[in-house]
Amino acid sequence: MPKYSRTKLLMALSLSTVLTLGVLPGPAMASGQASATQTVTSVAATQNLAPAGSPSVSVSAARKLDRNPNHLDVFVNKNYPLKPAKYKPKTSTVSGTGIKLRPEATKAYNKMVKAAKKSGVRIKLISGYRSYDRQAQLFNQYTRWYGKKYAERISAKPGTSEHQTGLAADVGNNNGACALQSCFENTPVGKWMKKNAHKHGFILRYPKGQESVTGYAYEPWHFRYVGTALAKSYTNSGAKTFEHYHGVASTKKNAPKSGKGTAKTTANLNMRTGVGSSNRVILTIPRGKTVKLTGSKKSGWYQVSYKSKTGWVSGTYLSNVSMPKTSKPKTETKKKPTPQKNTGSTKKTTANLNMRSGAGTNNRVILTIPKGKSVKATGKSKSGWLQVTYKSKTGWVSGTYLTNTSTPKKSKPKTESTPKKKVQTKYTTANLNMRAGNSTNKKIILTIPKGKKVEITGSKKSGWYPVKYKSKKGWVSGTYLR
Ligand SMILES: [Zn+2]
């Protein structure tokens, strides 16, 4: 079998593996995700229905949360983790992909793909089920590299990813266009999915501009299977997010801001001696009145002053809340933490991994590094991508597929001999002419017999390698090297 076809095959395999794996919640695609620790309060309460001071909130308008992971409508987000955390669904492999989904989702997905194909749209499955352990591995890796705070911004903690239910699918175009990028929305598959996914039981889970609610930046590629009935009901409801639909969207308008320190009551509202409806009522503040905020807030309740009385009211019935400056200096700076330097450390690839000209999948592939190879990190990193050197090439790879093997700080015992510069070698698969340049019209220096070891002295050029054999240097065709 001619060598080049094997290489081609290998290459194709590598690429598909990279693409397949490329979906794991890598920092690469998750840069810009919002840090989403928000207090979850129900928005379902309506002002008019609210009894004075009642801290309980009417959720009649909202659908009840189902947290049973065996149910197709299970609700999972960063605030509503899976129970049990290590839940494992039954899965089946989506044929031709190696990716698993819950059997119900697999079936629906296949139907959806068929329907799209009829309209000339080719959907490619990029990611499906991810186990707790896989998610933990990723999350821990990011934590080691970037610290916990940043790791939480770019990936889901194990037990909180929808992918662990086996009901979430990341989809892309067959040609890989805009894979896992926001520009996916304008591709054929992106447009088709937006319009049709719900008919097949899939809903867009992380819509644009809803980071503060969903905990994720816009992901036009992430669809969640909930069954056709619920998908239709959800879509017809016009709810902005699945969180809104369930009445657990965080209410931004009630979020404390620094400033005037006042709020307006949206109902006749009991002021109480403490946080919670079990406390004594001091007075009832009529609806539409302005109250002064003291700056104290606890479990969704605010300490307020009204008519020279001070007490606690439920934040549910306050609007235009603006906390006084004396409150917490908790201005969340969205400053990107400086990633820990990885200067000179060696890492190992955990998959066939594309080295690219820049940080991000839209950059040119320089070469594919096979799984299990050691690469050297230069210390530069960007959005979860690391700059590495491999085979004298330097480029960027997604940090998702690297594990630490050594850190430069580890002092090695002195008895160990100085590590030699690793020499890369290959074997000839035929009697092979070494030439003065990288083409067959260059002068032959010598012929290397089949099965001999040669030293690769530089980087490949148009399929030719610079090599050293028996102290002679020249070029040989890569076709006959392995
Ligand atoms: Zn996803």
Side-chain angles (χ1 to χ4, degrees):
M1 185 178 186
K3 169 72 180 150
Y4 88 92
S5 60
R6 205 175 70 105
T7 310
K8 256 189 185 168
L9 187 69
L10 218 69
M11 200 67 172
L13 269 168
S14 306
L15 290 172
S16 75
T17 311
V18 168
L19 202 63
T20 302
L21 292 168
V23 231
L24 297 167
M29 40 256 13
S31 64
Q33 274 181 2
S35 74
T37 358
Q38 296 265 347
T39 351
V40 172
T41 44
S42 176
V43 290
T46 57
Q47 299 173 1
N48 297 333
L49 294 174
S54 164
S56 70
V57 166
S58 153
V59 288
S60 56
R63 188 191 160 86
K64 206 172 169 284
L65 275 188
D66 189 339
R67 300 193 62 192
N68 184 336
N70 289 315
H71 295 169
L72 296 178
D73 62 351
V74 59
F75 185 84
V76 180
N77 70 15
K78 289 180 180 178
N79 293 313
Y80 290 88
L82 275 163
K83 280 182 180 178
K86 295 201 169 185
Y87 173 75
K88 270 194 182 123
K90 271 189 190 153
T91 55
S92 60
T93 305
V94 178
S95 64
T97 69
I99 297 168
K100 289 172 177 172
L101 289 172
R102 275 269 292 272
E104 299 92 328
T106 299
K107 210 174 149 191
Y109 175 81
N110 286 334
K111 253 181 100 180
M112 180 168 72
V113 168
K114 259 191 196 164
K117 204 171 164 187
K118 269 188 190 163
S119 337
V121 174
R122 296 279 199 141
I123 302 174
K124 183 186 167 78
L125 184 58
I126 305 180
S127 182
Y129 168 65
R130 286 200 291 266
S131 70
Y132 177 95
D133 290 343
R134 178 62 186 144
Q135 193 70 32
Q137 199 185 346
L138 289 171
F139 188 79
N140 293 338
Q141 203 164 68
Y142 300 148
T143 304
R144 275 200 305 275
W145 290 350
Y146 305 122
K148 200 172 175 198
K149 216 173 167 185
Y150 188 57
E152 280 175 9
R153 285 179 59 191
I154 62 172
S155 70
K157 275 187 190 167
T160 70
S161 171
E162 268 200 334
H163 283 282
Q164 198 186 321
T165 65
L167 296 168
D170 291 337
V171 299
N173 289 270
N174 235 12
N175 64 3
C178 286
L180 307 169
Q181 296 169 62
S182 53
C183 59
F184 169 74
E185 69 175 345
N186 296 319
T187 65
V189 174
K191 285 184 196 162
W192 190 92
M193 287 295 288
K194 194 172 181 182
K195 205 175 150 195
N196 300 294
H198 71 276
K199 297 173 195 164
H200 301 274
F202 288 87
I203 63 167
L204 177 72
R205 191 62 182 81
Y206 308 125
K208 206 183 235 171
Q210 297 297 329
E211 297 93 320
S212 64
V213 175
T214 63
Y216 292 95
Y218 181 38
E219 288 193 1
W221 59 84
H222 178 108
F223 286 84
R224 162 66 198 280
Y225 184 68
V226 295
T228 47
L230 179 52
K232 279 175 190 163
S233 156
Y234 168 66
T235 306
N236 293 337
S237 78
K240 282 184 200 158
T241 66
F242 210 38
E243 276 78 4
H244 283 97
Y245 185 72
H246 286 94
V248 294
S250 57
T251 48
K252 247 204 165 166
K253 53 177 181 274
N254 282 349
K257 279 182 228 154
S258 60
K260 292 166 282 173
T262 58
K264 252 196 170 132
T265 55
T266 62
N268 295 332
L269 186 55
N270 284 336
M271 179 198 285
R272 293 176 183 270
T273 55
V275 172
S277 56
S278 57
N279 290 286
R280 191 175 55 82
V281 175
I282 300 170
L283 61 85
T284 302
I285 309 165
R287 182 181 162 183
K289 293 293 174 188
T290 297
V291 296
K292 255 190 154 167
L293 301 174
T294 68
S296 296
K297 191 190 167 195
K298 211 169 157 186
S299 316
W301 286 61
Y302 289 82
Q303 197 185 42
V304 302
S305 293
Y306 178 69
K307 289 204 173 176
S308 77
K309 299 271 183 191
T310 298
W312 292 84
V313 298
S314 166
T316 312
Y317 309 106
L318 291 178
S319 68
N320 304 321
V321 175
S322 53
M323 291 290 269
K325 272 182 185 156
T326 51
S327 65
K328 298 170 212 163
K330 231 189 172 179
T331 26
E332 257 189 80
T333 46
K334 290 250 168 152
K335 210 178 85 187
K336 198 174 164 180
T338 332
Q340 285 155 20
K341 287 266 174 174
N342 287 307
T343 319
S345 66
T346 307
K347 295 184 182 293
K348 239 188 183 138
T349 56
T350 61
N352 294 333
L353 185 56
N354 285 335
M355 179 197 281
R356 292 175 182 272
S357 57
T361 52
N362 52 343
N363 291 287
R364 190 175 55 81
V365 175
I366 298 170
L367 59 87
T368 301
I369 309 167
K371 184 177 167 178
K373 292 292 174 190
S374 290
V375 298
K376 235 182 162 183
T378 66
K380 279 191 189 171
S381 63
K382 207 171 156 186
S383 316
W385 287 64
L386 301 182
Q387 197 187 42
V388 300
T389 303
Y390 176 71
K391 289 206 177 176
S392 76
K393 297 268 184 195
T394 299
W396 294 81
V397 297
S398 167
T400 313
Y401 311 107
L402 291 178
T403 56
N404 279 319
T405 55
S406 77
T407 49
K409 275 192 176 172
K410 262 184 206 159
S411 54
K412 286 188 178 170
K414 269 184 183 171
T415 47
E416 208 178 309
S417 61
T418 0
K420 277 180 210 161
K421 201 184 158 212
K422 209 189 168 227
V423 177
Q424 215 230 318
T425 55
K426 282 185 182 288
Y427 287 87
T428 55
T429 61
N431 294 334
L432 184 56
N433 287 335
M434 179 199 282
R435 292 176 181 271
N438 62 329
S439 105
T440 51
N441 56 14
K442 301 286 188 213
K443 190 169 70 74
I444 294 172
I445 299 169
L446 61 86
T447 302
I448 309 166
K450 183 178 167 180
K452 292 293 174 190
K453 187 157 92 173
V454 298
E455 189 183 315
I456 308 295
T457 61
S459 31
K460 198 174 166 184
K461 214 166 154 185
S462 319
W464 288 64
Y465 285 92
V467 299
K468 194 173 157 187
Y469 175 72
K470 290 205 173 177
S471 77
K472 296 271 182 194
K473 281 183 175 178
W475 293 80
V476 296
S477 165
T479 310
Y480 308 104
L481 289 179
R482 71 174 164 85

